[in-house]
Tab-separated table of all heavy atoms in Angstrom:
chain	number	residue	atom	x	y	z
O	1	ASN	N	77.921	187.033	151.878
O	1	ASN	CA	77.592	188.104	152.806
O	1	ASN	C	77.478	187.575	154.234
O	1	ASN	O	77.933	188.223	155.182
O	1	ASN	CB	76.302	188.789	152.384
O	1	ASN	CG	76.027	190.058	153.146
O	1	ASN	OD1	76.952	190.792	153.497
O	1	ASN	ND2	74.752	190.327	153.395
O	2	ALA	N	76.876	186.411	154.380
O	2	ALA	CA	76.926	185.695	155.650
O	2	ALA	C	78.294	185.039	155.757
O	2	ALA	O	78.679	184.262	154.886
O	2	ALA	CB	75.818	184.656	155.733
O	3	LYS	N	79.028	185.345	156.804
O	3	LYS	CA	80.420	184.921	156.894
O	3	LYS	C	80.576	183.414	156.878
O	3	LYS	O	81.606	182.900	156.434
O	3	LYS	CB	81.073	185.515	158.141
O	3	LYS	CG	82.582	185.390	158.162
O	3	LYS	CD	83.187	186.192	159.290
O	3	LYS	CE	84.706	186.143	159.259
O	3	LYS	NZ	85.297	186.956	160.344
O	4	ASN	N	79.578	182.692	157.342
O	4	ASN	CA	79.652	181.245	157.370
O	4	ASN	C	79.188	180.601	156.070
O	4	ASN	O	78.986	179.395	156.018
O	4	ASN	CB	78.841	180.688	158.539
O	4	ASN	CG	79.465	181.016	159.882
O	4	ASN	OD1	80.674	181.235	159.985
O	4	ASN	ND2	78.650	181.029	160.919
O	5	THR	N	79.031	181.400	155.018
O	5	THR	CA	78.641	180.904	153.716
O	5	THR	C	79.836	180.912	152.775
O	5	THR	O	80.511	181.929	152.629
O	5	THR	CB	77.509	181.753	153.116
O	5	THR	OG1	76.360	181.692	153.963
O	5	THR	CG2	77.131	181.233	151.738
O	6	LEU	N	80.104	179.785	152.158
O	6	LEU	CA	81.184	179.640	151.194
O	6	LEU	C	80.581	179.497	149.802
O	6	LEU	O	79.624	178.745	149.611
O	6	LEU	CB	82.036	178.419	151.524
O	6	LEU	CG	83.253	178.171	150.633
O	6	LEU	CD1	84.311	179.242	150.874
O	6	LEU	CD2	83.826	176.780	150.878
O	7	LEU	N	81.148	180.214	148.835
O	7	LEU	CA	80.644	180.211	147.475
O	7	LEU	C	81.705	179.719	146.501
O	7	LEU	O	82.899	179.893	146.722
O	7	LEU	CB	80.207	181.619	147.064
O	7	LEU	CG	79.212	182.341	147.970
O	7	LEU	CD1	78.986	183.750	147.465
O	7	LEU	CD2	77.901	181.572	148.042
O	8	LEU	N	81.259	179.118	145.419
O	8	LEU	CA	82.136	178.785	144.306
O	8	LEU	C	81.435	179.215	143.026
O	8	LEU	O	80.452	178.592	142.623
O	8	LEU	CB	82.466	177.292	144.261
O	8	LEU	CG	83.449	176.887	143.156
O	8	LEU	CD1	84.839	177.458	143.444
O	8	LEU	CD2	83.519	175.374	142.994
O	9	GLN	N	81.924	180.282	142.427
O	9	GLN	CA	81.407	180.744	141.148
O	9	GLN	C	82.180	180.040	140.043
O	9	GLN	O	83.403	180.147	139.967
O	9	GLN	CB	81.556	182.261	141.019
O	9	GLN	CG	81.050	182.825	139.704
O	9	GLN	CD	79.549	182.679	139.551
O	9	GLN	OE1	78.806	182.943	140.481
O	9	GLN	NE2	79.109	182.242	138.373
O	10	MET	N	81.472	179.313	139.194
O	10	MET	CA	82.086	178.535	138.126
O	10	MET	C	81.622	179.103	136.794
O	10	MET	O	80.434	179.045	136.468
O	10	MET	CB	81.713	177.056	138.246
O	10	MET	CG	82.066	176.444	139.591
O	10	MET	SD	81.742	174.661	139.650
O	10	MET	CE	79.950	174.664	139.553
O	11	ASN	N	82.554	179.659	136.031
O	11	ASN	CA	82.263	180.237	134.729
O	11	ASN	C	82.951	179.452	133.630
O	11	ASN	O	83.923	178.736	133.877
O	11	ASN	CB	82.719	181.703	134.682
O	11	ASN	CG	81.971	182.592	135.640
O	11	ASN	OD1	80.794	182.373	135.926
O	11	ASN	ND2	82.656	183.622	136.146
O	12	ASN	N	82.456	179.620	132.399
O	12	ASN	CA	83.029	178.940	131.241
O	12	ASN	C	83.218	177.456	131.512
O	12	ASN	O	84.293	176.892	131.293
O	12	ASN	CB	84.352	179.595	130.842
O	12	ASN	CG	84.854	179.133	129.486
O	12	ASN	OD1	84.079	178.693	128.637
O	12	ASN	ND2	86.160	179.221	129.278
O	13	LEU	N	82.160	176.820	131.970
O	13	LEU	CA	82.241	175.411	132.332
O	13	LEU	C	82.525	174.539	131.113
O	13	LEU	O	82.071	174.827	130.003
O	13	LEU	CB	80.959	174.970	133.014
O	13	LEU	CG	80.835	175.433	134.471
O	13	LEU	CD1	79.390	175.382	134.933
O	13	LEU	CD2	81.724	174.575	135.368
O	14	LYS	N	83.277	173.478	131.356
O	14	LYS	CA	83.666	172.533	130.321
O	14	LYS	C	83.170	171.138	130.691
O	14	LYS	O	82.973	170.846	131.866
O	14	LYS	CB	85.190	172.513	130.170
O	14	LYS	CG	85.801	173.867	129.866
O	14	LYS	CD	87.321	173.791	129.832
O	14	LYS	CE	87.926	175.134	129.504
O	14	LYS	NZ	89.410	175.066	129.452
O	15	PRO	N	82.987	170.257	129.697
O	15	PRO	CA	82.537	168.900	130.017
O	15	PRO	C	83.431	168.202	131.041
O	15	PRO	O	82.930	167.428	131.866
O	15	PRO	CB	82.573	168.190	128.661
O	15	PRO	CG	82.300	169.275	127.681
O	15	PRO	CD	83.011	170.486	128.233
O	16	GLU	N	84.726	168.466	131.021
O	16	GLU	CA	85.631	167.840	131.972
O	16	GLU	C	85.453	168.343	133.397
O	16	GLU	O	86.053	167.795	134.329
O	16	GLU	CB	87.098	168.015	131.538
O	16	GLU	CG	87.476	169.453	131.231
O	16	GLU	CD	87.411	169.769	129.748
O	16	GLU	OE1	86.439	169.348	129.089
O	16	GLU	OE2	88.331	170.441	129.247
O	17	ASP	N	84.639	169.382	133.602
O	17	ASP	CA	84.303	169.830	134.944
O	17	ASP	C	83.209	168.982	135.580
O	17	ASP	O	82.904	169.159	136.766
O	17	ASP	CB	83.852	171.293	134.934
O	17	ASP	CG	84.959	172.246	134.538
O	17	ASP	OD1	86.114	172.054	134.980
O	17	ASP	OD2	84.669	173.199	133.780
O	18	THR	N	82.598	168.093	134.818
O	18	THR	CA	81.546	167.235	135.344
O	18	THR	C	82.084	166.400	136.501
O	18	THR	O	83.088	165.696	136.364
O	18	THR	CB	80.991	166.325	134.248
O	18	THR	OG1	80.358	167.119	133.246
O	18	THR	CG2	79.980	165.337	134.812
O	19	ALA	N	81.433	166.493	137.661
O	19	ALA	CA	81.901	165.795	138.858
O	19	ALA	C	80.915	166.022	139.986
O	19	ALA	O	80.012	166.865	139.902
O	19	ALA	CB	83.286	166.293	139.278
O	20	MET	N	81.092	165.256	141.053
O	20	MET	CA	80.442	165.558	142.314
O	20	MET	C	81.328	166.556	143.052
O	20	MET	O	82.526	166.308	143.241
O	20	MET	CB	80.244	164.295	143.147
O	20	MET	CG	79.471	164.516	144.438
O	20	MET	SD	77.703	164.786	144.162
O	20	MET	CE	77.186	163.130	143.691
O	21	TYR	N	80.755	167.672	143.452
O	21	TYR	CA	81.503	168.717	144.133
O	21	TYR	C	81.162	168.718	145.617
O	21	TYR	O	79.992	168.752	145.997
O	21	TYR	CB	81.195	170.088	143.526
O	21	TYR	CG	81.884	170.321	142.205
O	21	TYR	CD1	81.458	169.675	141.056
O	21	TYR	CD2	82.973	171.182	142.110
O	21	TYR	CE1	82.101	169.870	139.849
O	21	TYR	CE2	83.618	171.390	140.902
O	21	TYR	CZ	83.176	170.730	139.776
O	21	TYR	OH	83.811	170.932	138.575
O	22	TYR	N	82.197	168.689	146.452
O	22	TYR	CA	82.045	168.661	147.896
O	22	TYR	C	82.588	169.945	148.513
O	22	TYR	O	83.693	170.382	148.182
O	22	TYR	CB	82.802	167.476	148.502
O	22	TYR	CG	82.313	166.123	148.042
O	22	TYR	CD1	82.849	165.521	146.915
O	22	TYR	CD2	81.320	165.454	148.748
O	22	TYR	CE1	82.405	164.284	146.489
O	22	TYR	CE2	80.875	164.216	148.330
O	22	TYR	CZ	81.423	163.633	147.200
O	22	TYR	OH	80.985	162.401	146.787
O	23	CYS	N	81.826	170.525	149.413
O	23	CYS	CA	82.302	171.599	150.256
O	23	CYS	C	83.060	170.975	151.423
O	23	CYS	O	82.642	169.949	151.963
O	23	CYS	CB	81.122	172.424	150.762
O	23	CYS	SG	81.550	173.796	151.846
O	24	ALA	N	84.176	171.567	151.805
O	24	ALA	CA	84.997	171.005	152.866
O	24	ALA	C	85.619	172.112	153.707
O	24	ALA	O	85.836	173.230	153.230
O	24	ALA	CB	86.089	170.110	152.281
O	25	ALA	N	85.919	171.791	154.967
O	25	ALA	CA	86.514	172.764	155.877
O	25	ALA	C	87.438	172.058	156.849
O	25	ALA	O	87.325	170.856	157.087
O	25	ALA	CB	85.432	173.534	156.641
O	26	ASP	N	88.351	172.834	157.433
O	26	ASP	CA	89.295	172.297	158.410
O	26	ASP	C	89.625	173.372	159.424
O	26	ASP	O	89.715	174.551	159.062
O	26	ASP	CB	90.560	171.796	157.716
O	26	ASP	CG	91.364	170.843	158.589
O	26	ASP	OD1	90.909	169.701	158.781
O	26	ASP	OD2	92.438	171.238	159.070
O	27	ARG	N	89.832	172.976	160.688
O	27	ARG	CA	90.071	173.942	161.745
O	27	ARG	C	91.548	174.126	162.081
O	27	ARG	O	91.876	174.987	162.901
O	27	ARG	CB	89.297	173.560	163.010
O	27	ARG	CG	89.726	172.255	163.651
O	27	ARG	CD	88.805	171.948	164.837
O	27	ARG	NE	88.892	172.986	165.859
O	27	ARG	CZ	87.947	173.228	166.768
O	27	ARG	NH1	86.842	172.504	166.770
O	27	ARG	NH2	88.114	174.191	167.658
O	28	ARG	N	92.429	173.383	161.503
O	28	ARG	CA	93.851	173.542	161.794
O	28	ARG	C	94.349	174.882	161.275
O	28	ARG	O	94.074	175.266	160.136
O	28	ARG	CB	94.662	172.389	161.201
O	28	ARG	CG	94.467	171.086	161.947
O	28	ARG	CD	95.133	169.920	161.238
O	28	ARG	NE	94.405	169.531	160.046
O	28	ARG	CZ	94.711	168.483	159.295
O	28	ARG	NH1	95.753	167.724	159.615
O	28	ARG	NH2	93.991	168.203	158.222
O	29	ALA	N	95.118	175.593	162.117
O	29	ALA	CA	95.545	176.949	161.817
O	29	ALA	C	96.938	177.028	161.217
O	29	ALA	O	97.393	178.122	160.863
O	29	ALA	CB	95.494	177.800	163.090
O	30	TYR	N	97.617	175.899	161.089
O	30	TYR	CA	99.018	175.899	160.690
O	30	TYR	C	99.274	175.338	159.295
O	30	TYR	O	100.430	175.114	158.920
O	30	TYR	CB	99.851	175.112	161.712
O	30	TYR	CG	99.304	173.748	162.043
O	30	TYR	CD1	99.638	172.639	161.287
O	30	TYR	CD2	98.440	173.576	163.133
O	30	TYR	CE1	99.126	171.391	161.596
O	30	TYR	CE2	97.934	172.331	163.447
O	30	TYR	CZ	98.276	171.242	162.670
O	30	TYR	OH	97.771	170.001	162.978
O	31	LEU	N	98.210	175.119	158.517
O	31	LEU	CA	98.348	174.599	157.166
O	31	LEU	C	97.887	175.645	156.166
O	31	LEU	O	96.809	176.211	156.306
O	31	LEU	CB	97.541	173.315	156.992
O	31	LEU	CG	97.933	172.137	157.874
O	31	LEU	CD1	96.963	170.979	157.676
O	31	LEU	CD2	99.359	171.703	157.568
O	32	ALA	N	98.691	175.882	155.142
O	32	ALA	CA	98.348	176.820	154.090
O	32	ALA	C	97.428	176.161	153.078
O	32	ALA	O	97.298	174.938	153.023
O	32	ALA	CB	99.609	177.335	153.409
């Protein structure tokens, strides 16, 4: 709801999803 908030909803988690998760961002406008 706050535009500067990024969410990741993770459902049906599996053991292989175990990891350190990093939020990341980039300001370049020309990369898909």
Side-chain angles (χ1 to χ4, degrees):
N1 190 35
K3 193 170 184 179
N4 291 335
T5 299
L6 183 69
L7 306 176
L8 183 68
Q9 179 66 44
M10 304 185 292
N11 296 328
N12 192 24
L13 284 161
K14 303 176 179 181
E16 52 263 43
D17 294 319
T18 295
M20 184 73 72
Y21 284 73
Y22 298 90
C23 179
D26 198 72
R27 64 184 298 158
R28 288 172 287 185
Y30 50 87
L31 298 175

